[in-house]
Amino acid sequence: MTQTRAAGRHFLQIPGPTNVPDRVLRAIDNPTIDHRGPEFGRMGLELLANLKAIFQTSGPVMIYPASGTGAWEAALTNTLSPGDTVLMCQTGWFATLWKEMAERLQLNPVLIATDWRRGADVPAISAALLDDKAHRIKAVCVVHNETSTGCTSRIDEVHAVIEAAKHPALLMVDTISSLASIDYRHDEWGVDVTVAGSQKGLMLPPGLSFNAISERALTASKTAKLPRSYWDWRPMLEANKTGYFPYTPGTNLLFGLHEAVKMLREEGLPNVFARHDRHAEATRRAVRTWGLDIQCAEPRHYSSSLTAVRVPDGHSADALRATILEKYNMSLGNGLGILKDRVFRIGHLGDFGDLQLVGTLGGVEMGLRVAGVPHNAGGVQAAVDYLAGNA
Ligand SMILES: *Cc1c(COP(=O)(O)O)cnc(C)c1O
């Protein structure tokens, strides 16, 4: 008899969307309210104020009813004009998509490439800025955590070279898979526009995205000439003053966000970051024990939200993922772009505890064996030893 149901809970271990905690699901599961009524305004004000701490900013954070891609577009169209040069760091698939969007918006992206095995090339950014005496570069765009490779760029260092070059370019950072998982400081790191999304570290379903902005970004928006309407910051900031939105917001997702922010505050952001660092280290120990390669080749750039693992030549990462889904009811991330079928990605971000990690790594190790991918046993044990030894 063919089986159409797998018992037990599905393990959603792709690096976003992540597992949505029950508390967030319960919060979303409430009657939709009038988004122009007083109850909504009270929640809106509280939520918009509480969100700032997650971005480590004292400035405004705007919320769009859109996936992260929408917030990319908002960042570019609110601050730039047609033909503007933007320096973009091609760290992987998501950075490439952002660059393609910039081209479609008639910007002029200048690329700094990598081999997709490390974060943004900070010395190359520095050189490009020092070279640009005429200040043609209007923005530097960096993906903080490149979800296709599991490499995290050093935004503090990018900020330092922009300062050192005394260059007026805006700094824009995509934190879609790092916010609320990896330490990120909008104000301290001099970021002008932070882009974020709901379905990764924030533990929500997909459907919300964010722009946190600096004073300088706001000033730039006053003279920016790219057409913008839906994404325009001005009506958003105006309505947000009283807790409302210029158009119908994702009301029930906002209920969920309110709860998720509460949960992050209860755990404490430093503890949230430490938990992700610890799970990432345990995962890498398992991968090394298996004798497989970690896609990120630069330990300073290891991601704490996901680990991309290379399969040995002649083996298929997608076949392995299909086996793991079929046998163990677990979804892992696929290889994107040039990494298609070469890597699988283990998401260890969001609402995630030690036992879920051990279960996840157990599923990978069993999958490697069943799919016939050469490896050494004992990866799960290495992770258990690390977790139990660093309680
Ligand atoms: C997921 C992701 C995106 C894309 O966001 P969508 O919500 O799919 O539009 C962009 N950048 C990074 C770094 C991501 O992880």
Side-chain angles (χ1 to χ4, degrees):
M1 195 187 141
T2 47
Q3 199 178 327
T4 53
R5 174 181 181 269
R9 200 156 181 147
H10 179 70
F11 269 50
L12 184 65
Q13 297 318 130
I14 58 176
T18 63
N19 296 286
V20 181
D22 291 351
R23 271 177 67 179
V24 170
L25 290 172
R26 296 294 87 80
I28 292 170
D29 180 18
N30 270 286
T32 301
I33 59 173
D34 174 10
H35 61 285
R36 306 206 192 276
E39 185 185 350
F40 186 95
R42 280 193 295 274
M43 179 193 70
L45 276 180
E46 193 180 321
L47 176 58
L48 289 164
N50 290 346
L51 259 185
K52 293 173 193 249
I54 308 297
F55 289 79
Q56 303 197 43
T57 183
S58 57
V61 179
M62 286 170 273
I63 310 172
Y64 293 103
S67 85
T69 303
W72 268 350
E73 184 162 338
L76 299 176
T77 57
N78 276 283
T79 52
L80 298 166
S81 300
D84 276 356
T85 296
V86 288
L87 191 62
M88 298 186 107
C89 303
Q90 203 165 21
T91 46
W93 178 249
F94 289 101
T96 304
L97 293 180
W98 202 9
K99 177 217 112 188
E100 287 171 0
M101 172 186 277
E103 282 168 346
R104 286 192 294 270
L105 292 171
Q106 285 161 31
L107 296 167
N108 172 33
V110 171
L111 283 193
I112 296 179
T114 72
D115 60 359
W116 291 35
R117 299 200 72 169
R118 60 205 78 240
D121 184 342
V122 177
I125 297 172
S126 174
L129 293 176
L130 289 169
D131 226 29
D132 179 37
K133 301 273 185 289
H135 294 167
R136 279 202 189 84
I137 297 169
K138 299 302 176 200
V140 177
C141 299
V142 187
V143 173
H144 183 211
N145 185 70
E146 178 51 77
T147 322
S148 62
T149 65
C151 300
T152 305
S153 290
R154 295 295 303 248
I155 305 303
D156 52 343
E157 293 176 5
V158 175
H159 172 230
V161 299
I162 296 175
E163 290 264 286
K166 297 193 166 46
H167 196 290
L170 297 171
L171 174 56
M172 304 200 199
V173 182
D174 169 345
T175 66
I176 295 176
S177 64
S178 57
L179 190 85
S181 302
I182 299 171
D183 194 6
Y184 178 76
R185 307 172 181 199
H186 176 94
D187 285 2
E188 188 181 322
W189 295 345
V191 180
D192 295 296
V193 187
T194 295
V195 173
S198 57
Q199 74 272 29
K200 301 183 186 181
L202 287 174
M203 312 180 286
L204 292 163
L208 296 179
S209 56
F210 307 85
N211 273 180
I213 65 166
S214 71
E215 275 297 329
R216 257 162 44 88
L218 195 57
T219 304
S221 76
K222 296 193 171 123
T223 50
K225 295 203 170 48
L226 277 180
R228 63 197 120 131
S229 169
Y230 188 76
W231 309 112
D232 197 340
W233 288 344
R234 288 162 294 193
M236 187 66 91
L237 288 170
E238 190 53 38
N240 283 178
K241 281 184 193 159
T242 47
Y244 297 98
F245 290 79
Y247 37 71
T248 315
T251 307
N252 290 55
L253 283 175
L254 294 178
F255 293 158
L257 178 62
H258 199 42
E259 190 66 22
V261 170
K262 234 192 264 175
M263 291 169 70
L264 290 166
R265 286 156 69 101
E266 288 169 16
E267 186 175 355
L269 270 190
N271 297 324
V272 171
F273 302 145
R275 169 166 60 80
H276 284 81
D277 291 344
R278 187 165 162 276
H279 286 162
E281 176 59 27
T283 301
R284 290 190 294 267
R285 286 178 185 228
V287 174
R288 288 194 197 102
T289 303
W290 292 326
L292 300 179
D293 273 349
I294 297 167
Q295 174 65 17
C296 183
E298 177 62 59
R300 293 179 68 246
H301 297 163
Y302 281 152
S303 168
S304 286
S305 37
L306 77 139
T307 302
V309 183
R310 298 172 67 87
V311 291
D313 286 343
H315 291 269
S316 160
D318 288 342
L320 171 67
R321 290 188 315 106
T323 298
I324 291 170
L325 177 60
E326 188 199 321
K327 301 277 182 214
Y328 307 113
N329 195 17
M330 175 164 74
S331 297
L332 296 170
N334 64 326
L336 295 166
I338 61 172
L339 299 178
K340 183 174 162 52
D341 208 29
R342 302 311 313 136
V343 302
F344 63 92
R345 296 173 298 142
I346 304 170
H348 34 70
L349 75 164
D351 185 44
F352 199 56
D354 286 8
L355 296 190
Q356 286 159 285
L357 178 63
V358 172
T360 297
L361 297 173
V364 174
E365 188 161 331
M366 290 190 287
L368 289 167
R369 194 191 293 192
V370 171
V373 177
H375 68 289
N376 306 313
V380 177
Q381 187 61 52
V384 166
D385 290 345
Y386 175 75
L387 293 170
N390 294 270

